[in-house]
Amino acid sequence: MGVITVEQEISCSLTPSRLFKSFVLDADKLMPKIMPNFFKSFETVEGDGGVGSIKLVTLTAEVAGSQMKPAKHKIEEVDEVNHVYKYSLIEGGILGEDLESVTYVYKFEAGPTGGCTIKIVKTYHPKGDEHHSIIEEIIEKSKEVTKGFINAIEAHLHANPHEYN
């Protein structure tokens, strides 16, 4: 099967800097707060939280009950000036018998009519050739979940306009 690269674009009414700050820089505090039924905690288990650090993302019991294990993310790039964030899923989460790793690159750009456009490139590294349909399902679900995260942050920040300015 080889490496699979998937691109996704999501529009958001928030500015690139505000969304980057909340979705990337403050995710450890914000995501469990606004999605308590999904995220239990984010914890830096190695490093200082910057490039090279390993973060452990623990899901709630109801999500974990669906066979999702805590996920380890390795941070590879945090560019606050150009609003680029890159990390790799190196353990747990959607990995298992089918996937070796997944790399995510998020770029937050000014939108054509205000707000921003999030350009996402996800690179899936399958373990073999025999799991094509399962990986396709994972990819489609991942697109929905990513859009849901962005929508949740957007709704929360509109309801709480003084956070993450």
Side-chain angles (χ1 to χ4, degrees):
M1 177 182 261
V3 173
I4 302 166
T5 300
V6 177
E7 295 182 13
Q8 181 178 9
E9 262 189 40
I10 302 171
S11 295
C12 177
S13 61
L14 302 171
T15 64
S17 60
R18 190 165 186 221
L19 185 58
F20 184 85
K21 181 169 178 21
S22 58
F23 185 72
V24 175
L25 302 178
D26 294 325
D28 295 10
K29 293 178 283 188
L30 185 64
M31 296 305 280
K33 178 180 176 180
I34 65 171
M35 298 186 80
N37 294 331
F38 195 89
F39 293 109
K40 182 177 178 185
S41 65
F42 283 56
E43 176 187 0
T44 300
V45 294
E46 186 177 312
D48 61 4
V51 173
S53 295
I54 307 286
K55 291 196 176 217
L56 179 66
V57 179
T58 305
L59 306 174
T60 61
E62 56 199 48
V63 176
S66 67
Q67 307 306 320
M68 288 282 281
K69 296 179 180 174
K72 283 190 178 177
H73 298 175
K74 181 174 184 178
I75 300 171
E76 297 180 25
E77 180 180 357
V78 180
D79 182 343
E80 293 184 51
V81 174
N82 295 302
H83 304 113
V84 177
Y85 180 58
K86 178 180 180 182
Y87 71 93
S88 291
L89 174 60
I90 58 171
E91 186 180 305
I94 61 172
L95 302 181
E97 294 180 23
D98 309 308
L99 292 168
E100 185 73 36
S101 66
V102 183
T103 300
Y104 303 84
V105 180
Y106 291 81
K107 182 161 179 54
F108 302 81
E109 300 177 343
T113 59
C116 70
T117 300
I118 307 100
K119 294 183 178 180
I120 308 159
V121 178
K122 300 175 185 178
T123 306
Y124 297 84
H125 299 269
K127 287 186 177 178
D129 294 332
E130 63 277 353
H131 303 288
H132 182 70
S133 63
I134 293 169
I135 293 173
E136 291 297 325
E137 288 176 31
I138 290 169
I139 290 169
E140 288 308 309
K141 183 69 174 169
S142 176
K143 287 179 181 179
E144 293 172 27
V145 168
T146 301
K147 186 156 179 51
F149 292 163
I150 299 296
N151 290 342
I153 291 169
E154 183 177 29
H156 176 80
L157 293 181
H158 282 303
N160 299 280
H162 300 294
E163 283 188 57
Y164 306 102
N165 281 324

